[in-house]
Amino acid sequence: MTEWDLVVTAREQVARDVVALTLGRPDGGDLPQWTPGAHLDLLLGPDLVRQYSLCGDPADRSGLRIAVQREPDGRGGSRQVHDRLTPGATVTVRGPRNNFALVAAARYLFIAGGIGITPIGPMVAAADAAGADWRLVYGGRSRATMAFADALREKYGDRVTLCPQDETGLLDLPGLLGRPEAGMLVYCCGPEALITAVEQHCLGWPPGCLHVERFTPASGVDGVDTTVEVELSISGQTLTVPPGTPILQAVEEAGVQVLSSCREGTCGTCETTVLAGVPDHRDSLLTEEERAAGDTMMICVSRARTPRLVLEL
């Protein structure tokens, strides 16, 4: 995937500890097209690559907008953005790439928690423009921490329900999801606890109704590592990957370049075609249908259910 340098053309404080940045080309030219749910990779330093959802207008080719929440106890990406990316600063990016695309439907329920509003905002705009029946329920610790809350409420009125936890408590998921609704798609992004709860409440819904995007790996996706033989069809190499060594690491050590970012199974950058063998999926991205197909895998975290895999690398 192509990398290029963009410049910060605007910076705005949109909530407590949340800044929105607009990134543009130094020459002022058009930027790539994107669709709601897409994100950018920001290359913030050696081995420091972070993904941030685009939250602007897809029709605006002059700038790509992201919003980043400072995480004092994080791994350093948000601190780099908040402390270094001021107007005029340059940052290297990859993308846009979309693992959370909005599927056409007549009805939607959007559920956002905290900074999870970033990919949901453009989806709401697209659903509204398409004339769909939709509702957004947006929760956060307090109103002061909820980015874009006032703008969304002002633009869409009662179709947006704001739920600051210090005023209303936790989101009423049983009330929202207790009964499956025909023809409705549910889109959710936010903290892992929220996504896990939404998934539990949607167990009785028809397959394919729920779409989620995680910022951190899903819980309960670990497995038992065994030695696996990995054949690389393009390079012609065959690798023996021992327990405890990610397939991605073994491939890189063999001198084969693979794009990667999160190394946690959340971003999709290292997605690789599987030509033979059965993957043991441990990512937080693929749908159940995609897992069952077994023709692609995230080699940063996933392994194999068979003694051998053949990958298109």
Side-chain angles (χ1 to χ4, degrees), residues 10-230:
R11 173 174 167 137
E12 178 187 2
Q13 193 82 29
V14 292
R16 182 189 301 160
D17 295 328
V18 181
V19 294
L21 305 179
T22 302
L23 309 175
R25 285 177 43 172
D27 62 4
D30 283 349
L31 290 159
Q33 292 181 319
W34 60 278
T35 54
H39 69 261
L40 278 183
D41 292 350
L42 268 61
L43 284 64
L44 299 168
D47 300 320
L48 186 60
V49 181
R50 296 292 181 266
Q51 296 75 42
Y52 297 108
S53 298
L54 292 169
C55 57
D57 179 1
D60 182 1
R61 302 285 299 278
S62 67
L64 296 172
R65 195 179 193 213
I66 61 173
V68 180
Q69 177 175 289
R70 180 187 283 274
E71 298 286 355
D73 299 325
R75 295 170 297 166
S78 68
R79 292 195 298 273
Q80 285 274 354
V81 171
H82 276 251
D83 296 343
R84 185 170 67 83
L85 296 187
T86 54
T90 299
V91 61
T92 302
V93 306
R94 288 197 298 248
R97 183 172 62 254
N98 200 337
N99 301 314
F100 190 42
L102 185 67
V103 177
R107 304 175 66 209
Y108 298 96
L109 172 60
F110 298 107
I111 302 174
I115 198 63
I117 192 62
T118 49
I120 297 294
M123 291 183 176
V124 164
D128 194 67
D133 179 12
W134 63 269
R135 179 185 178 192
L136 166 63
V137 180
Y138 176 18
R141 295 189 304 275
S142 66
R143 288 181 185 272
T145 66
M146 296 170 63
F148 313 120
D150 291 341
L152 287 165
R153 180 72 179 186
E154 181 178 342
K155 184 173 183 178
Y156 299 114
D158 290 343
R159 300 181 87 171
V160 175
T161 301
L162 302 180
C163 301
Q165 186 175 341
D166 61 351
E167 299 176 25
T168 64
L170 296 175
L171 299 184
D172 179 19
L173 297 182
L176 292 169
L177 303 168
R179 184 179 63 184
E181 298 192 33
M184 177 179 284
L185 297 186
V186 180
Y187 277 79
C188 177
C189 186
E192 178 59 26
L194 172 64
I195 294 176
T196 299
V198 169
E199 288 175 331
Q200 290 299 312
H201 282 89
C202 284
L203 289 176
W205 287 58
C209 286
L210 176 61
H211 301 258
V212 304
E213 182 170 61
R214 286 179 156 89
F215 298 131
T216 57
S219 58
V221 294
D222 293 335
V224 177
D225 283 3
T226 58
T227 297
V228 59
E229 184 179 272
V230 178

Side-chain angles (χ1 to χ4, degrees), residues 208-291:
C209 286
L210 176 61
H211 301 258
V212 304
E213 182 170 61
R214 286 179 156 89
F215 298 131
T216 57
S219 58
V221 294
D222 293 335
V224 177
D225 283 3
T226 58
T227 297
V228 59
E229 184 179 272
V230 178
E231 178 183 336
L232 310 182
S233 66
I234 296 176
S235 72
Q237 300 183 68
T238 298
L239 313 176
T240 299
V241 185
T245 298
I247 293 175
L248 173 61
Q249 178 184 328
V251 169
E252 291 175 330
E253 291 175 350
V256 177
Q257 291 189 340
V258 181
L259 280 180
S260 65
S261 294
C262 72
R263 295 179 180 258
E264 295 181 327
T266 60
C267 75
T269 307
C270 70
E271 185 171 4
T272 300
T273 298
V274 178
L275 301 177
V278 179
D280 178 9
H281 296 291
R282 303 180 188 178
D283 65 276
S284 304
L285 275 171
L286 296 177
T287 65
E288 290 304 317
E289 292 79 7
E290 292 167 333
R291 289 169 184 262

